[in-house]
């Protein structure tokens, strides 16, 4: 069902497909960090796919032909409770679009699909974190309907946290 989902992007000069990421995508996904970091990142991505096997996270990628041009991950479990509630929230991370494909709507489509996935698995909010110097991404997230609700500054860095509702909050009535 979700695994078979394919969307044709309409805004990019070339049509792209949004699909579920699979373990054989790992080396291309790691290349998004640049060839210097890709060996370490391949290990990280394989760990993420291991999490996916356990239902703890989910991978969504944007593809043109067989080239992966963008990625986002949706974490569902094992989240810092100060950041996200594993019952009601999903945490979006590792959003990246290859430079030559930016400003064509791919990033927004990845975020929208990640929110749809969170809704599909019963979460009411999507949370995304942005490093404080990344004002560009923060402004984009606000344009896409996220609102800042918290910030943390610790060993993980200086993070601004934003939230977007993805589903109606169940009423007690
Ligand atoms: C942040 C990031 C994912 C955004 O991806 P993107 O694909 O460029 O995002 P979008 O195309 O959906 O939106 C970007 C801009 O393009 C504009 N745009 C979208 N489609 C467009 C089109 N067809 N023509 C012209 N502009 C368009 C959007 O309105 C937005 O404009 P703005 O900058 O004026 O607000 C990308 O810049 C990136 O990978 N950055 C490096 C990694 C990073 O910072 N990740 C976030 C970590 S928190």
């Amino acid at each position: 069902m979700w695994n078979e989902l394919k969307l044709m992007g309409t805004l990019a000069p070339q049509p792209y497909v949004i699909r579920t990421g699979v373990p054989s995508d790992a080396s291309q996904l790691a290349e998004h960090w640049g060839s210097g970091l890709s060996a370490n990142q391949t290990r990280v991505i394989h760990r993420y796919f291991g999490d996916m096997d356990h239902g703890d996270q989910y991978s969504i990628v944007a593809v043109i032909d067989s080239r992966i041009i963008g990625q986002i991950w949706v974490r569902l479990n094992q989240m810092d409770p100060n950041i996200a509630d594993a019952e009601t929230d999903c945490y979006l991370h590792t959003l990246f679009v290859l430079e030559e494909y930016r400003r064509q709507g791919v990033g927004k489509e990845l975020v929208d699909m990640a929110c749809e996935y969170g809704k599909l698995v019963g979460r009411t909010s999507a949370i995304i974190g942005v490093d404080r110097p990344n004002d560009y991404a923060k402004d984009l997230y606000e344009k896409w309907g996220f609102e800042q609700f918290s910030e943390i500054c610790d060993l993980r860095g200086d993070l601004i946290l934003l939230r977007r509702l993805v589903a109606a909050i169940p009423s007690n009535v």
Side-chain angles (χ1 to χ4, degrees):
M1 190 183 59
W2 178 269
N3 279 330
E4 289 161 9
L5 176 74
K6 296 213 181 339
L7 272 188
M8 300 303 287
T10 50
L11 297 174
Q14 298 174 59
Y16 61 91
V17 168
I18 301 277
R19 65 160 170 79
T20 301
V22 293
S24 58
D25 296 328
S27 57
Q28 277 202 72
L29 294 172
E31 281 288 330
H32 288 177
W33 278 266
S35 49
L37 291 175
S38 72
N40 280 341
Q41 286 304 331
T42 301
R43 279 191 288 277
V44 172
I45 296 285
H46 277 301
R47 185 158 50 78
Y48 287 177
F49 278 117
D51 292 342
M52 197 164 156
D53 285 343
H54 296 103
D56 291 335
Q57 38 184 344
Y58 198 79
S59 169
I60 299 173
V61 298
V63 183
I64 291 182
D65 297 327
S66 53
R67 186 173 189 212
I68 299 179
I69 63 159
Q71 63 177 299
I72 191 166
W73 290 78
V74 187
R75 177 163 280 284
L76 299 168
N77 291 316
Q78 297 175 0
M79 300 182 286
D80 178 343
N82 293 316
I83 293 180
D85 179 329
E87 295 288 311
T88 56
D89 300 327
C90 57
Y91 185 77
L92 315 187
H93 66 99
T94 318
L95 170 65
F96 185 90
V97 174
L98 285 177
E99 209 159 334
E100 63 265 40
Y101 295 100
R102 288 180 192 165
R103 301 190 59 80
Q104 297 169 16
V106 179
K108 181 174 187 303
E109 186 104 35
L110 285 166
V111 167
D112 286 347
M113 293 310 294
C115 290
E116 277 301 310
Y117 182 74
K119 183 172 165 180
L120 186 76
V121 295
R123 305 302 159 96
T124 52
S125 295
I127 289 170
I128 201 159
V130 59
D131 289 319
R132 188 170 293 280
N134 197 344
D135 287 337
Y136 176 69
K138 178 174 179 279
D139 289 350
L140 269 186
Y141 298 154
E142 285 175 341
K143 279 184 212 166
W144 297 344
F146 286 83
E147 285 177 16
Q148 180 174 342
F149 69 94
S150 182
E151 42 194 275
I152 53 169
C153 185
D154 62 17
L155 291 174
R156 290 166 294 192
D158 194 355
L159 263 189
I160 293 171
L161 295 162
L162 301 101
R163 178 194 303 276
R164 170 168 138 184
L165 288 182
V166 297
I169 298 168
S171 134
N172 292 328
V173 182

